[in-house]
Amino acid sequence: MVQRTSNAEVMSMDLSPKKPAKAYASDGGAYYDWSPADLPMLGAASIGAAKLHLSAGGLALPSYSDSAKIAYVLQGAGACGLVLPEAAKEKVIPVKEGDTLALPFGAVTWWHNAADSASAEELVVLFLGDTSKGHTPGRFTNFQLTGAAGIFTGFSTEFVARAWDLDHDAAAKIVSTQPGSGIVKIAAGHRMPEPRAEDRQGVVLNCLEAPLDVDIPGGGRVVVLNTANLPPVKDVGLGSDLVRIDGKSMCSPGFSCDSAYQVTYIVRGGGRVQVVGIDGTRVLETRAEAGCLFIVPRFFVVSKIADDTGMEWFSIITTPNPIFSHLAGRTSVWKAISPEVLETAFNTTPEMEKMFRSKRLDSEIFFAPN
């Protein structure tokens, strides 16, 4: 049974945005992750977060994880090899910036930056997922199939020979030649499988090309991923969205009303963030910038105001079809409450209540600067 963090513990936690630390690297790239020791809400929410950076020719070796994940391509282009448990057949998916993939339990993946120039753009992939069934709450445990720390090298030569029907010498050679990292660089001239466009079908949604769920001129735009436009998120148990707000725009104060956590990675730009928790206490007031991650606890209210250059973020929500309530704008909860109730609740006059209700009648979720 998962032990729920107490209200007092959540209210006392450091919620400030954090950047990841490098876990391992090679000449093919690097893997970074966020630790619950640095960002305690990861452990409280049982959420893992990591980033993969692959340089030209870099290959992230085949692996699987103890957690279901959402992968979002932050930068660059390349290929993702994917073998799902029920399929036992590899998909070789061309991926590019803006692509989102849902990776359920048991999915085996590899990632490759096929660029052949040292000056080519890195392939950068963000992973956010549910660690509630994992070995370490708040952190992914990845199992490499090959490599010095891979499954292959853990078995004795006898077991490898028996399992793969090899003679002793062949088994010993395979085990001893495993590369030393979860990331390698492809040798010059080595051919990799060609990505197939048809393998994207039903597996990938590009958030930069998908129809907008919200489009507020001068305010911002949202693409929401759920079971309707990316069915595999049902197996992952997570929803996600990409939000882009214009310079100086504001995101309406709001909260997830279905007991979900919001895990937010700032993709570009930056801005001010405020989070209000239990008893009206402001638990976070800070500036978030590109590369940072932060988590909003269940039912806490969050709002953001972008800097001059705007702000873009990718979030997961710990339910596949999230529901939000907003406290300002045309769809505000306060707009639906009876005037007489608001007058008493705010201890104000009918005139003040009418003025309050008359504002933001044509604005929804995002508010452009005046």
Side-chain angles (χ1 to χ4, degrees), residues 95-107:
V95 295
K96 60 183 179 179
E97 181 180 340
D99 280 349
T100 307
L101 297 84
L103 305 175
F105 283 108

Side-chain angles (χ1 to χ4, degrees), residues 215-260:
D215 185 6
I216 308 297
R221 292 149 295 286
V222 183
V223 171
V224 178
L225 287 84
N226 52 36
T227 56
N229 55 14
L230 192 62
V233 302
K234 180 180 180 181
D235 299 323
V236 174
L238 302 167
S240 56
D241 58 21
L242 178 69
V243 181
R244 290 165 284 172
I245 61 175
D246 298 325
K248 300 289 190 182
S249 290
M250 180 180 190
C251 182
S252 168
F255 64 95
S256 171
C257 54
D258 48 7
S259 191

Side-chain angles (χ1 to χ4, degrees), residues 61-359:
L61 296 172
S63 67
Y64 64 92
S65 177
D66 64 350
S67 305
K69 303 175 183 176
I70 296 288
Y72 180 69
V73 180
L74 293 166
Q75 174 186 303
C80 171
L82 173 64
V83 180
L84 295 171
E86 70 278 7
K89 181 181 178 182
E90 182 185 62
K91 292 179 180 288
V92 183
I93 304 164
V95 295
K96 60 183 179 179
E97 181 180 340
D99 280 349
T100 307
L101 297 84
L103 305 175
F105 283 108
V108 173
T109 60
W110 53 261
W111 299 81
H112 179 223
N113 183 349
D116 55 8
S117 168
S119 61
E121 189 173 37
E122 276 192 321
L123 172 63
V124 183
V125 185
L126 174 71
F127 300 98
L128 301 173
D130 176 13
T131 66
S132 60
K133 297 180 180 178
H135 286 270
T136 304
R139 203 165 201 173
F140 299 133
T141 300
N142 297 318
F143 294 83
Q144 303 291 333
L145 296 189
T146 62
I151 302 299
F152 234 110
T153 57
F155 285 108
S156 67
T157 302
E158 177 193 359
F159 273 63
V160 172
R162 287 284 302 274
W164 285 275
D165 194 21
L166 300 171
D167 62 45
H168 183 277
D169 290 344
K173 184 175 182 180
I174 285 180
V175 171
S176 66
T177 57
Q178 297 296 298
S181 169
I183 300 172
V184 299
K185 193 158 188 173
I186 299 295
H190 181 76
R191 292 182 61 85
M192 290 290 288
E194 288 293 328
R196 300 181 289 263
E198 59 270 24
D199 283 351
R200 290 175 60 88
Q201 186 65 36
V203 178
V204 180
L205 181 73
N206 189 280
C207 292
L208 300 177
E209 299 172 353
L212 296 172
D213 293 280
V214 176
D215 185 6
I216 308 297
R221 292 149 295 286
V222 183
V223 171
V224 178
L225 287 84
N226 52 36
T227 56
N229 55 14
L230 192 62
V233 302
K234 180 180 180 181
D235 299 323
V236 174
L238 302 167
S240 56
D241 58 21
L242 178 69
V243 181
R244 290 165 284 172
I245 61 175
D246 298 325
K248 300 289 190 182
S249 290
M250 180 180 190
C251 182
S252 168
F255 64 95
S256 171
C257 54
D258 48 7
S259 191
Y261 292 91
Q262 301 174 59
V263 185
T264 299
Y265 176 83
I266 308 300
V267 178
R268 290 181 183 83
R272 294 168 54 203
V273 179
Q274 290 188 357
V275 177
V276 175
I278 299 167
D279 295 329
T281 302
R282 187 186 307 156
V283 292
L284 179 65
E285 179 167 10
T286 190
R287 185 183 181 280
E289 60 183 22
C292 287
L293 183 88
F294 69 96
I295 302 175
V296 179
R298 298 175 308 117
F299 302 110
F300 283 32
V301 179
V302 60
S303 184
K304 309 175 188 76
I305 298 177
D307 291 341
D308 292 348
T309 57
M311 192 175 183
E312 178 179 339
W313 64 86
F314 183 82
S315 298
I316 64 163
I317 304 93
T318 56
T319 179
N321 293 295
I323 302 172
F324 288 95
S325 287
H326 290 275
L327 301 181
R330 184 176 60 82
T331 58
S332 164
V333 171
W334 277 326
K335 291 284 195 291
I337 295 176
S338 303
E340 296 82 0
V341 174
L342 284 184
E343 287 174 26
T344 302
F346 281 122
N347 188 28
T348 190
T349 64
E351 292 74 24
M352 183 63 73
E353 189 282 327
K354 288 178 182 177
M355 183 188 72
F356 176 81
R357 187 182 295 275
S358 68
K359 302 295 185 179

